Amino acid sequence: MKKVCFAVLTSAFLIGLWLTTIYAQKAIQIQPSSDGTIEASLIEAKVQRGVLTLKVALKNISNQLIEPEIRFGEAYFTDVVAKKKYFALKDSEGKFIAGPASYDWGGGTFKEKIGKNESKIIWIKFPAPPESTKTIDVHIPKVLPFEDIAAVRK
Amino acid sequence: MESLKTILFLMMWLAIPPAFAASSAYVGPEDQRAVEEAVKAVNRLGPERGAVPLVEKVVDIIGLPTISISGASIGISKTLQDLGAKKVGTEIQLTLSADILFDFDRWEIKKKAETVLHQVSKGIIESNKKNIIIEGHTDSKGSEAYNFELSGKRANAVKDWFISIARLTEVRFQTKGYGESRPIAPNTNPDGSDYPDGRAKNRRVEIRIAD
């Protein structure tokens, strides 16, 4: 019985630590949603093997339960200096390499309930811009653009 | 037997994913399958990485005073040419109407002016030049001392905007207010009467972009 209790407590501690790490990631930039119900934090913009991965935490700052619908196909980033626009990557089945994909709509759509003061994290993979690109502007549907974002190259 | 049936029934339903749910969702960005599919997708896109060009369209805004244009020269980016910049020696010079940038007798940048200033800052970045000289000028209404002070504040306001909003932090700025001392048009008619069009031309901010 003691062993079981120890295992349960240890697991709970590790899960708690993992969740704390995820949500404590420092935001690169914070923007509100256009309807004012979400505070979106860009928490990672990392380039690896020619792929740019973006992570965005969506926090419900309204007083009620919300269920935002974000179609990954509508997300993009721009390089205003080179005047280029890049869209999310699709896999061989035509689905966007992004998540959590709650539904297949439009190649992948996030649509989950978020309680008051709760957060959910979405992620999207894009082709990395050329190395000459210093900063990008990230456009996530329903959220004001994240501007002048420097991608971290690994 | 009955409980076995129930278990089989439940297993059957659990095995069928909801028809509308994502059928092959990735676990997360570090999911090996997601990483490999992303690399393959980038390779499929080729050197251009699927980028599409951003198309710019510049239109005149009817009803606003136009930016005074002194001519455009070869060697200036299209962004600055569209703003009426000219090349003088190694410098690029640009004149903005103070009526676009500021309200009467004020030195805070107007919200409507930000589109023009964003264009200027883009042109500065494209020019690769690192020294910006901003000069404020007024018309002859008011005392010389007051106009001198107002023009200086306006030049500083433009500099502050470039630094805080356009984030031109790698550029050196110099500002100066000349008040009414350097008119580019007469402030009065030959008979001494007021010449509003001339005064409007004199109310300006000149930006010099140098190496």
Side-chain angles (χ1 to χ4, degrees):
Chain A
M1 186 61 186
K2 271 185 183 176
K3 277 183 183 173
V4 173
C5 282
F6 178 76
V8 169
L9 285 170
T10 308
S11 305
F13 173 75
L14 288 173
I15 290 168
L17 193 68
W18 175 68
L19 286 172
T20 310
T21 311
I22 287 175
Y23 287 101
Q25 276 182 306
K26 198 182 169 199
I28 297 166
Q29 198 175 105
I30 298 172
Q31 292 291 349
S33 61
S34 48
D35 65 2
T37 60
I38 297 170
E39 182 186 82
S41 304
L42 182 66
I43 54 176
E44 190 176 287
K46 185 177 72 178
V47 172
Q48 212 166 11
R49 296 174 67 189
V51 176
L52 167 69
T53 303
L54 298 178
K55 288 184 193 170
V56 178
L58 304 170
K59 184 179 180 185
N60 177 1
I61 54 169
S62 75
N63 289 322
Q64 56 198 13
L65 184 75
I66 59 168
E67 192 176 9
E69 183 182 314
I70 294 175
R71 294 192 176 218
F72 299 125
E74 292 172 8
Y76 62 92
F77 75 85
T78 55
D79 172 354
V80 289
V81 176
K83 295 178 187 170
K84 297 281 171 126
K85 183 176 180 180
Y86 299 82
F87 296 95
L89 289 169
K90 281 181 175 177
D91 63 17
S92 49
E93 292 174 359
K95 294 188 176 103
F96 289 103
I97 308 172
S102 324
Y103 300 95
D104 280 343
W105 306 334
T109 299
F110 169 84
K111 192 174 190 298
E112 290 186 10
K113 290 184 171 64
I114 308 176
K116 184 184 166 186
N117 288 325
E118 286 179 0
S119 295
K120 291 266 168 85
I121 295 175
I122 60 167
W123 57 273
I124 308 172
K125 287 187 185 288
F126 291 91
E131 292 208 10
S132 55
T133 297
K134 300 299 173 206
T135 61
I136 56 171
D137 294 349
V138 176
H139 300 256
I140 305 291
K142 297 187 168 52
V143 176
L144 270 60
F146 299 99
E147 294 182 326
D148 291 331
I149 301 300
V152 176
R153 291 180 188 271
K154 294 268 175 177
Chain B
M1 189 62 187
E2 196 57 37
S3 59
L4 186 65
K5 272 185 185 173
T6 310
I7 290 166
L8 282 171
F9 180 78
L10 283 170
M11 281 176 73
M12 186 183 78
W13 276 105
L14 286 170
I16 301 170
F20 46 82
S23 52
S24 61
Y26 297 106
V27 178
E30 282 82 29
D31 175 357
Q32 201 53 38
R33 199 164 59 90
V35 172
E36 293 307 326
E37 283 288 345
V39 172
K40 277 189 219 164
V42 168
N43 292 336
R44 277 197 300 271
L45 290 173
E48 280 298 312
R49 304 160 206 229
V52 296
L54 288 175
V55 180
E56 281 184 19
K57 190 179 177 188
V58 180
V59 294
D60 290 330
I61 300 169
I62 297 164
L64 282 177
T66 52
I67 299 158
S68 75
I69 295 174
S70 309
S73 316
I74 296 165
I76 307 175
S77 73
K78 189 176 180 303
T79 309
L80 289 174
Q81 279 186 44
D82 289 342
L83 290 167
K86 62 177 180 178
K87 199 167 183 185
V88 180
T90 57
E91 283 187 0
I92 297 168
Q93 295 185 0
L94 173 70
T95 302
L96 301 177
S97 165
D99 294 353
I100 289 179
L101 301 175
F102 311 101
D103 283 319
F104 171 71
D105 216 19
R106 303 299 307 171
W107 55 88
E108 299 86 358
I109 301 287
K110 286 200 288 192
K111 200 73 191 163
K112 281 182 180 174
E114 295 202 333
T115 309
V116 171
L117 288 178
H118 273 298
Q119 285 289 95
V120 177
S121 53
K122 189 179 166 202
I124 290 171
I125 293 165
E126 288 169 352
S127 75
N128 278 325
K129 294 183 185 289
K130 298 293 176 196
N131 284 294
I132 309 296
I133 301 120
I134 303 168
E135 298 170 346
H137 300 271
T138 66
D139 61 20
S140 60
K141 287 268 181 184
S143 73
E144 272 186 32
Y146 180 81
N147 285 335
F148 185 83
E149 190 184 350
L150 178 65
S151 61
K153 284 179 175 174
R154 286 179 165 182
N156 277 324
V158 173
K159 180 193 83 173
D160 292 344
W161 191 94
F162 281 139
I163 293 170
S164 60
I165 307 295
R167 298 177 194 169
L168 297 182
T169 50
E170 292 179 13
V171 179
R172 281 186 296 279
F173 288 93
Q174 292 175 58
T175 60
K176 191 161 176 64
Y178 286 102
E180 60 190 70
S181 65
R182 295 188 177 188
I184 54 170
N187 287 294
T188 55
N189 289 309
D191 63 359
S193 60
D194 188 26
Y195 181 46
D197 288 351
R199 286 195 295 104
K201 286 179 183 168
N202 291 329
R203 295 190 296 270
R204 68 198 190 277
V205 170
E206 292 181 356
I207 298 172
R208 288 162 46 203
I209 305 165
D211 289 321

